[in-house]
Each structure stands twice: as structure tokens, then as C-alpha cells.
Amino acid sequence: MLELDTEMVRINHINTRNEKHGDDNVLGVDLKLQARLSNDALALFSPTLKSSFYHKDDAVQGDLVTDAGYLPNLKHPAIGAVKWDGDWEHQRLQIHNGVKPEFDIVLDEAKVNKLSFDFQEGGTVFVNFRVQAHPDEKTTARILQLLGQEVHMSLSFQEPEQMKEAA
């Protein structure tokens, strides 16, 4: 599962829509996001994912780096983006949008899906993903102002409300 801790993330696209929840119309927002991360982040999904797509080319690096986990070179440069199947519910997206935490934009009970990896030479991977949430109108307007920008974000699992109440 994807986790971010104050990482730079680009807001590539925003889609707003009305959803029917019973008789009520509820505002829904889809955010298409892109995080540029170290290929070490691939371990969040599978312990062997990094070594499946990266290797260390000794002809280039030689003995400069002795860390066995250092795998900066693409095994298959022409493979392109790779989709990763899954939906992760009960996510909390926090967009750090100011100097103080009270300026942050928080999307609780969000859903993360449509994940893909775009592997880059040098040990970087672009992680593209969608966040679906139901913010109010004021929060949506604040998010719309950030379209096309890179901002610091955190993403984490949020314990479902029913589990909190039972505890």
C-alpha cells in the first residue's frame, strides 16, 4: 500500500462530480497525482518489485557504491509505465498547504486506486495514482487552486470510523 510522508506530489488533474448517496447529492472529487520517489518505495508493494525492474550496472558504477540494495539502472528501459492493481480505502490525504498544520487540506476516508509505476533510469520511479474523496465546497475550491502544482503531501491508512467507535 502506498504511504507518503511529506513527499512532493504533483496534482495533474482534478475531476469534480455529483454522486447520489440515497436521495442526497454529494460532491465527489478525483485527484490524479504523481509522486517522484526513490525506487526503494517499491518495497511498499512487493519485496522483489525493485529487483524485477532495476539492477546495478557495474560497468557504469564500478565499485563506487558497495550497497547491495543500490539498483539504479533499468533492466528493461522500453517497458513504459506498469499498472498495479488494487483499491485502498480508508486513506487520509493531507496536503501541506502552508506554514502551519492548520492550513493543511485534509481528505479523510479517501480511496486510492489506478496506480501505475513509471520507472526511470537512476533509481527514481514516478508513482501515478488517483485519490477519490468527498470534500465540502470550500475544501474543493482550495484544492482546485493547486492544479498543476507540486505540493507536499502525506498519505496514510486511516482506521475506519466504526472500528474507532467500537474501541
Side-chain angles (χ1 to χ4, degrees):
M1 172 180 2
L2 181 63
E3 296 175 5
L4 301 174
D5 184 18
T6 319
E7 299 287 345
M8 287 297 288
V9 178
R10 182 174 186 76
I11 302 174
N12 286 331
H13 183 76
I14 300 172
N15 179 50
T16 59
R17 66 187 181 292
N18 277 321
E19 295 179 358
K20 277 291 205 189
H21 289 201
D23 290 334
D24 299 327
N25 283 326
V26 176
L27 178 63
V29 174
D30 297 340
L31 304 173
K32 289 187 181 177
L33 305 174
Q34 182 181 65
R36 182 179 183 184
L37 304 173
S38 162
N39 62 5
D40 291 333
L42 296 172
L44 295 169
F45 301 93
S46 170
T48 60
L49 190 58
K50 179 179 171 181
S51 61
S52 296
F53 292 95
Y54 289 93
H55 70 104
K56 180 181 173 192
D57 185 351
D58 286 325
V60 177
Q61 281 90 18
D63 292 331
L64 293 175
V65 180
T66 57
D67 179 10
Y70 180 68
L71 305 174
N73 304 108
L74 288 172
K75 286 184 177 180
H76 312 286
I79 200 162
V82 174
K83 292 182 182 179
W84 190 264
D85 194 29
D87 290 325
W88 297 272
E89 296 189 8
H90 310 296
Q91 301 296 304
R92 182 177 197 263
L93 180 69
Q94 188 170 0
I95 302 171
H96 306 290
N97 191 36
V99 194
K100 299 179 182 178
E102 49 268 17
F103 297 137
D104 290 354
I105 299 169
V106 178
L107 301 176
D108 288 319
E109 285 301 313
K111 181 178 179 180
V112 174
N113 55 27
K114 296 206 175 191
L115 198 99
S116 69
F117 304 113
D118 190 0
F119 306 109
Q120 304 293 307
E121 186 69 31
T124 299
V125 61
F126 287 107
V127 180
N128 298 291
F129 59 102
R130 179 175 71 176
V131 173
Q132 296 179 299
H134 298 95
D136 60 26
E137 291 85 2
K138 182 179 177 183
T139 303
T140 302
R142 292 179 65 202
I143 295 170
L144 285 168
Q145 292 176 331
L146 300 174
L147 179 60
Q149 295 182 38
E150 279 190 302
V151 292
H152 285 97
M153 293 186 194
S154 296
L155 179 69
S156 59
F157 175 75
Q158 181 181 31
E159 190 173 315
E161 288 300 318
Q162 294 136 349
M163 294 175 85
K164 286 182 186 176
E165 292 170 5

